[in-house]
Amino acid sequence: FQIWYPAEPTGGTVAPYIDPLPDDEIVRSSYSFVGIEQVMKTRSHAFAGAKVSGARRRYPVIIFSHGLGRVSAHYTAFLENLASHGYIVVGVDSPFFSSALKMPDGRIIQNKSQRNQRQGAREEEAVIQAQDLIFVLNELERIDKTDVDTGLAGRFDLRHVGVFGHSRGGFTAPHACLLDSRFRACLNLDGYPLTPAVMQQGIRQPY
């Protein structure tokens, strides 16, 4: 996952808007109308390794779930904008359902979605993607307590966590709310239909 947050105006290295892997045909075809090279030249408003702003002690958290065949960085404009309004935004990349994804050990995980090959796979994959969001929320709790090296310890307001997703991530987000009440609010951008469990049981969080 990647984290965007309100930062001190001390400058640093400008973060890339998007940094695709060379063999990521999904991304290249998606941006064929303009060319991936042009997208890579887009300037972001984020700086790598910047200090968290001291304007507030803690910031509410939004966890983001991408659409099928995407990664969170494809939504940089959305996520930077949310951070500029005073949120810590955590973009979660779900292996096998994202575009090509480079793991910390160097392995490249390609998209392996079964959505067009087996009935019910779409909903099953959304449940797995929702479990990814819960895993990351658990990691944020650990970071908030122990990770002094990043400067993020003690900066997450984990009493106020929202979840936001697009397309596949859009119907993943309410399923995460169904599974875990720590998600206090939910936003779905263009994700339908919802998982059968959410359709049948509903969720209690503002949606």
Side-chain angles (χ1 to χ4, degrees):
F1 55 89
Q2 295 173 282
I3 303 177
W4 289 258
Y5 48 82
E8 292 290 344
T10 53
T13 304
V14 177
Y17 186 91
I18 184 173
D19 189 18
L21 297 172
D23 58 349
D24 194 342
E25 291 302 322
I26 293 177
V27 173
R28 289 187 175 276
S29 63
S30 297
Y31 291 108
S32 60
F33 66 96
V34 66
I36 189 65
E37 290 75 18
Q38 291 298 111
V39 178
M40 291 170 65
K41 293 177 182 177
T42 303
R43 188 183 187 279
S44 76
H45 298 86
F47 291 85
K51 292 184 177 180
V52 182
S53 171
R56 297 178 62 174
R57 177 57 187 153
R58 292 179 179 269
Y59 293 92
V61 177
I62 298 174
I63 294 182
F64 177 76
S65 187
H66 59 75
L68 184 63
R70 303 291 172 194
V71 289
S72 298
H74 298 164
Y75 303 85
T76 292
F78 276 117
L79 307 187
E80 285 184 339
N81 186 275
L82 287 168
S84 78
H85 288 281
Y87 296 95
I88 292 179
V89 185
V90 182
V92 179
D93 295 336
S94 291
F96 304 108
F97 309 140
S98 66
S99 57
L101 185 64
K102 187 174 183 178
M103 304 300 284
D105 63 5
R107 288 178 300 146
I108 305 297
I109 305 296
Q110 299 287 350
N111 185 290
K112 301 292 184 182
S113 173
Q114 302 293 311
R115 68 171 183 149
N116 295 322
Q117 301 175 29
R118 181 170 55 81
Q119 186 174 3
R122 185 176 187 272
E123 292 78 12
E124 292 173 11
E125 291 180 1
V127 172
I128 295 170
Q129 199 161 324
Q131 291 167 340
D132 287 346
L133 304 183
I134 294 168
F135 173 84
V136 169
L137 181 53
N138 292 337
E139 285 297 292
L140 295 183
E141 290 184 341
R142 180 187 63 78
I143 290 170
D144 193 61
K145 292 176 181 177
T146 63
D147 198 346
V148 295
D149 293 338
T150 63
L152 289 167
R155 307 309 303 273
F156 298 96
D157 180 358
L158 294 172
R159 298 172 303 169
H160 297 94
V161 179
V163 61
F164 165 38
H166 166 246
S167 193
R168 160 68 67 76
F171 58 89
T172 288
H175 195 89
C177 288
L178 180 67
L179 296 176
D180 198 322
S181 62
R182 291 177 297 173
F183 296 110
R184 299 299 183 90
C186 180
L187 191 148
N188 170 4
L189 178 63
D190 194 30
Y192 186 82
L194 306 180
T195 61
V198 171
M199 294 291 280
Q200 293 163 13
Q201 300 175 43
I203 60 174
R204 302 182 66 177
Q205 295 91 330
Y207 172 64

